[in-house]
Amino acid sequence: MAEIIQRDSTWTFDGESVRIVPGRGKGIHPLREGLGERVVPLRALAGISFEPDRKGGRLRLRLRDGACPVLRAAGGRLKDAADPYQLAVEKDRGGVAEYFADEVRNALLIEQVPTDAVDGFLLPGPAVPVAGGGGDGTASFDGETVRLTWNWKAKEVKTSGGPVSFPVSEVTGVHWVPAIGLENGHLRFVRGDGTAPIRAAEYDPYSLDLWGLSKKEYTAVLVAAAVLVRLPGAAGRTAGPAQIAAPAAPAPAPPADDHDVLLRRLRELGELHRSGVLTDDEFAAAKQAVLKNL
């Protein structure tokens, strides 16, 4: 048995799995708190490392690609403070962290656990009901129905229609992007065959517009992960972000008299292109359509 207790989390390894119990109280990232306790089986791990620094260091679990629905929904965009598989280690606990890493590493060698991608999720999604988000609203999911409710920051196109609810059986994709710098993020649900035009999140009644003003906005990824594991065929899905993201079809630009919306649309198209959702040709066509209205 190996154990390391730190402010962010307590990690315990019993030879078969790593149990992660998040800390509580001020300073703990709300995503860690919202996700709760995780039990990571040895077969879901690709490796572990301890990276010492002058303040102590960081213990990192590396999961096999496709094993965790939260990491799949996040697409590599989680900050260290939010990542449940990273542990900030205090300076006087470096030796314990090294020992913990050695124990897990030796078990992986003995069991000859492969490091390649897996064909299905090896960890469950977040427990339901789950809620999260911020910006212009909140998303919730009870295992069967997705519900989006709006706050006073939402555009009239959203608030005028009231809360939006739809069964998970109608969802064909989910895409989460956190706010980065001055660019807003979003939690977007794709319904039907994905041919509907893509609108900026602030005007899309099936999306949250995430402003990044609070750490709690990161909890939207928990809703995305909970929905993701319930999509048809999701358990065996190991391809890239395009399969769980917004549809690739280019959409008409917003009205020409809204300059800010057009600029935001360009940034959103760039994000979809960088993440592989839009091909080069689709990105060029959609970008040209927006530029014509500037």
Side-chain angles (χ1 to χ4, degrees):
M1 177 77 72
E3 183 178 64
I4 179 168
I5 303 174
Q6 295 293 273
R7 183 180 64 85
D8 286 346
S9 309
T10 295
W11 288 16
T12 306
F13 178 60
D14 61 4
E16 297 181 354
S17 61
V18 176
R19 181 179 297 273
I20 300 174
V21 180
R24 293 184 178 182
K26 185 178 180 180
I28 305 302
H29 198 284
L31 190 151
R32 292 178 184 261
E33 288 186 315
L35 184 58
E37 184 176 319
R38 303 292 277 170
V39 177
V40 185
L42 201 62
R43 63 192 181 99
L45 293 176
I48 186 173
S49 63
F50 174 60
E51 304 164 2
D53 57 35
R54 61 184 181 84
K55 294 183 179 181
R58 188 167 294 276
L59 197 59
R60 299 178 188 265
L61 285 180
R62 184 165 60 88
L63 274 64
R64 296 171 66 186
D65 185 35
C68 175
V70 175
L71 295 186
R72 173 51 58 89
R77 300 183 181 95
L78 289 182
K79 295 181 178 179
D80 288 351
D83 191 338
Y85 306 113
Q86 296 190 31
L87 181 65
V89 178
E90 298 170 1
K91 192 171 185 179
D92 62 348
R93 305 299 286 172
V96 178
E98 289 279 13
Y99 172 74
F100 190 98
D102 285 342
E103 288 292 292
V104 175
R105 197 176 294 117
N106 290 337
L108 290 171
L109 289 173
I110 292 172
E111 298 296 329
Q112 296 184 340
V113 177
T115 60
D116 57 347
V118 297
D119 293 331
F121 297 128
L122 300 181
L123 280 81
V128 294
V130 61
D136 64 355
T138 300
S140 60
F141 179 55
D142 62 6
E144 297 182 355
T145 303
V146 178
R147 182 177 175 85
L148 302 177
T149 57
W150 316 116
N151 58 34
W152 63 273
K153 305 172 189 175
K155 299 289 187 182
E156 185 178 357
V157 68
K158 291 183 174 182
T159 57
S160 61
V164 174
S165 298
F166 47 91
V168 69
S169 59
E170 293 182 0
V171 180
T172 55
V174 56
H175 188 211
W176 174 80
V177 175
I180 301 175
L182 298 178
E183 294 190 18
N184 290 359
H186 62 260
L187 172 62
R188 186 189 305 278
F189 295 97
V190 184
R191 301 166 67 243
D193 59 7
T195 59
I198 302 174
R199 286 187 278 180
E202 62 182 335
Y203 297 103
D204 184 358
Y206 301 107
S207 300
L208 291 185
D209 191 25
L210 304 176
W211 299 357
L213 301 178
S214 169
K215 289 181 180 179
K216 289 186 178 180
E217 290 192 18
Y218 264 75
T219 56
V221 75
L222 299 179
V223 181
V227 171
L228 177 61
V229 299
R230 290 168 174 81
L231 296 185
R237 186 173 294 171
T238 57
Q243 284 190 280
I244 62 170
D257 59 348
D258 196 335
H259 189 266
D260 290 340
V261 173
L262 292 171
L263 292 178
R264 183 171 296 174
R265 177 66 178 140
L266 285 173
R267 290 195 295 268
E268 185 179 36
L269 288 172
E271 174 63 30
L272 292 174
H273 181 236
R274 288 190 295 272
S275 63
V277 177
L278 292 178
T279 66
D280 291 344
D281 290 342
E282 290 169 339
F283 172 66
K287 180 180 177 182
Q288 185 62 33
V290 176
L291 290 176
K292 287 180 178 179
N293 288 275
L294 279 174

